[in-house]
Each structure stands twice: as structure tokens, then as C-alpha cells.
Amino acid sequence: KKKDFWSCFCFSILRVNCRVTSRFAHTVITSKIINRANESREATFEVELPKTAFITNFSMSIDGKVYPGIIKEKASAQREYDAAVSQGQSAGLVKITGRKLEQFHVSVSIAAASKVTFELVYEELLKRQLGLFELLIKVRPQQLVKHFQIDVHIFEPQGIRFLETDSTFMTNELTEALTKVQNETKAHILFKPTVDQQKVNPELDETLLNGDFLVRYDVKRVATAGDIQIVNGYFVHYFAPQEMPVFPKNVIFVIDRSGSMAGRKIEQTREALLKILQDLRPEDHFSCITFNNKVSEWKSVLLQATAENVASAAGFVQTIMARGGTDINHALLTAVRVLDKAERLPEQSVSMIILLTDGQPTSGESKVEVIQENIQKAVNGKYALFCLGFGFDVSYNFLEKMALSNGGIARRLYENADAALQLQGFYQEVATPILMKIEMRYPENAVEGLTKNNFKLFFEGSEIIKSGAVLMVSFLPLQHGSDLTLKEEANVKEKEQVFQNQSYIFGNFIERLWAYLTIQQLLEKSISAQEEQQKALEARALELSLQYGFVTPLTSMVVTKPTGQQQTELANKPTEAGKWVLNSPLGMCGC
């Protein structure tokens, strides 16, 4: 039945064109579909894109007529939709479908022998994690495509230090369709398999193309205050110091052992913790706390990560059993007290709490607002709190607000076979702090509209990005991290020359990068802000979203269809704390 459905349509073109300029990626996905049936059929355009991306444009072209998507303020767009559609609610064109991806899905009826061309554009700022930038392209056409290609151009003025491609579906024959060309500052990756190369085997018209296509790279760096790039009055400043000594950590693992963690979850947690304990450095200090409706401590003090202490903690971890309720408040306050009374810790060290839970607070204090207030008052800016939510029963809003209010971040762990690896991977990101209390300064009256200026911690393998508008011909930024001061001077005219005559640079990319980064930081700040400040932050984020044409959690894209079909649909940006879709519907096209 599925085969008959697909046989009605033919992909003549499926192209993914991506231009990455100084970490900022601009991706255009184009799909051309022909209805081979002798009657009208519904064609579906289905694309999975990174969660961190903002959609900037979408259009359908049917028999020469273009139906563009229009970005509007979310509440206004919803009111228009409700007025136009009798059902009153949008089915939603964008849904989260996995750990890193969300899905854009739109259907349209096309006449017999007619063609439809879909085009989706999105932009994202690639984030450096564990020393690499990663560009993820999801490939899922679900049938053979006459003209298929992925075309990636990278331009990094600092120079490309490392470049690799990876794929979950690559075979020896498909490798022959992949070419990479690289010089000092540029790279070009082209993946263009023929129809025969796409086949599972010569006898079957089934495609091999189903999975992830990845490009990973890093840039060259020198021991300075970072790299500054300038285009058309906007600058971006990248800061990722190399070969810095790692600060010792004082870390407390706070682990949920309530009844809902029973089975595979607690097994994976034990497995991950045993490996994490082995990764502690000898100069680190640590402790472990587990909780259900009661709190249990491995030790009531922080101990140095000697081989003997690590072995003792591993024995404690292996005894963790899941039962009972969930007293998050008591567990976190216990962790704070252990840090408060710790003695003889290294003078220059970083203290942090890592919480792992899979549910709502059900024992002790159960009001999340009270818990947030209690923890923020107890931490008082002294420590960083990282919150990991296991699965989909947690209140992610609660965890995220609590983490952001206390100098950390929140992350969702998925109940997959690799959940233990997810937990270990998160720990690796925060295992090597190399700078504290970083402040990036610029001369007065030299810049304006600056993005986030102060950073509590900097971890090895990551990168600080700051952007704004330039008001002077030259300026001198300073970075202060602990007792370290770095200086760098940038001449605007010289820096702007770097981007002259680069044929694949897209528009004012640094200005768009600045807007993207500003919106993300405003939305993040609003999560832990009081109501009045939250409204002001969201209003500014909305203003920039509309000005620069980004589909964000505050805007919607109104997609209009031909007469005779459901006239209007909405594309909204889902959030981590919003509704989830675990199984993607069958679609005509996926990338």
C-alpha cells in the first residue's frame, strides 16, 4: 500500500545548499515533485532541521504560481488562523521529533501531471562543543531522486584546522559520490549520488539515503584575546583560548532514585556514573547524593578524587535502587550545605551541582516556585547548577528556570539505548573549566547593541561569541577571566576587507548573526526573569524576530495554499518545554 502511494509521485530535484560563513549557516532546501497520477493527489514536504535553527523563509510554487510564507507575531497570526478555520486550532507545521531535530511538515493538493516546488530556508549559529563545530543535515527522501545533491560551502577567515564528513547511511558506492575540496580558509563538500548509487541494490527501487549527513570542523587559533570579524558596521568576536590549565572541580552528583526511575533508567544512570567517576581528575573533589522521598549521602563532605575514594563511590553507586517519591528540594539544599561547609579546597576551583531527575517533586516541598526560590537563595551565586531531565515526565520549564537562575544550563536526556552516553557526553562538556567570571570590555562609545557580556564559566572545547554594532574605526576589546587579562586591537577597514569578493557570503551575515544571538539570549534571560522584565525582554525579542524575519517562539509563519484547500496553516517554533512528537508521520520528502 505504501509503495502504491509513493508510485504516484516522482522527485525530480532535491537539493540542500548550505553556506557556512564564520559559524553562521544559511541553508536552502529545494524539492521539486511531479504528480504522475491521472487525478489530483496530496503531496507532502517534510524536512527535519536542527532545533537551534530559525526558519526564515518558505514558499510553494505550483504550476508557476508562488505561495510564500509570511512571518507574523504569533498571537496575531493565531487569531487570523482561528478566524479563518472553523476548527479553530492549528495542527502545527513544525514539531520536535528528536534530540537535535524538529520537523517542518506541509501538505498541498496538486493536479494530475502538475508540479510543485517547495523551498525552505533556515539559519543557525553553529555551537562549538568538545572542540568541534557540527553541521547536521537530515536525509530522508523515502524514494529515489533523479537530481539529488548536498552542497556545503564553508568560509572561515581564521583558517580551517580540521574537517571531516560523516554519515549514518554511507556505503562504498555512495562514498564515490562525495567530494571534498579544502584550502587554508575555505572548504567545499559536494554529495551528488546518481540514481543507481542511491539504490539499496540494483534490483530494487529503494533508497539508501536515510539518516544523518554530518560535517564537523574546527578553526585555527592563536593565543590572543580572540578573533574579531566585521562586515557593514557589525562585528562578531570569537573567544576560545587554547592550552589553558584546567581548574579543579568541586562537584556533587544529585541523583533521583524515585520509583519512576526503576528499570532501564536507573541502570543507565548507574552505568554512566561509574564511567564519570573514572573520569574525575585527581585534583577534583566530589560527593554523591541520591534521593527519593528521603536523601542519602555517600559522604557528608567533599572528598578528593583519589583512587580509593572513587572506588568507594562506585560501590555506593552500584547499590542505588529506585523506589519512593521525589524530594528535589531537600536533595539540592543538602548538596548546597555540603559545598558551603567544604574545607581545604583548592583556592582556584569551580564548584558545581549536577542534578538528574525524571519527574515532578512529589515529596517534601512540592511547589516548584518555592523550590526555585529556596535553591536560588541557598546557592546565592556561589555555585553552578546543571539540571538534567530524564524523559518526558519532567517539568522541563522548572528545571530550566532553576538552572539558568543559578549559572548553569538544563538538558533533556532521551530514554533511548544511548541514554548513558548522553549523560557522559554532558559531563564531558562541563568537565574541564578553564576560565571563571569572564567579562569582555570595549572602549566607551566604540560599540552598541552588545550581546551577553559576562560569562560565569568557560569550558575547554567551547567558544564565547559576542556581537554588536561598531561605532568607531578601531577599538580595543579586553577579556578578564580570573586574574588573566588579554587584549586585542581591531581596525574596522582592515577587518572588512577579509569578506570582500567572497561570492558565497550571504548578505549582511554578521548583522543577522547578531540578531540571531540577541534573540536567543533575550529568550533565555526571560525564562528566569520576573514578570515585568520578562515582558520587556520578549517584546524586544519579538521586535527583532519580525525585523529580521525569523520564526522564533514569539512569531509564526502563515502558509497560504491554493483556493479550494484549507487556506491557511501556521508554522510555529516549538520549545524544549512544549509538546513532543516521538514518531514522525510518513512524508513525501525529508532531508
Side-chain angles (χ1 to χ4, degrees), residues 156-206:
E156 290 288 352
Q158 288 175 258
I160 298 173
R161 179 190 66 81
F162 171 85
L163 175 73
E164 71 172 7
T165 59
D166 195 7
S167 167
T168 58
F169 55 80
M170 198 65 69
T171 63
N172 289 335
E173 282 202 357
L174 284 175
T175 302
E176 295 174 4
L178 177 66
T179 58
K180 289 189 293 183
V181 179
Q182 179 186 345
N183 62 22
E184 182 71 15
T185 59
K186 299 177 185 176
H188 180 210
I189 297 103
L190 180 64
F191 179 55
K192 195 174 181 179
T194 64
V195 170
D196 286 340
Q197 287 172 321
Q198 295 171 41
K199 291 182 177 181
V200 172
N201 67 57
E203 308 301 321
L204 294 174
D205 287 341
E206 294 182 9

Side-chain angles (χ1 to χ4, degrees), residues 253 255 265 268-274 276 354-356 388 390 411 413-414 418-430:
F253 302 99
I255 307 301
K265 285 183 187 176
Q268 290 175 318
T269 300
R270 284 197 297 260
E271 177 187 340
L273 277 174
L274 290 172
I276 287 170
I354 298 178
L355 167 70
L356 172 65
L388 304 179
F390 205 145
R411 183 77 58 83
L413 300 183
Y414 288 72
D418 70 343
L421 291 176
Q422 294 174 51
L423 179 51
Q424 291 170 56
F426 174 81
Y427 174 75
Q428 290 301 323
E429 290 179 41
V430 300

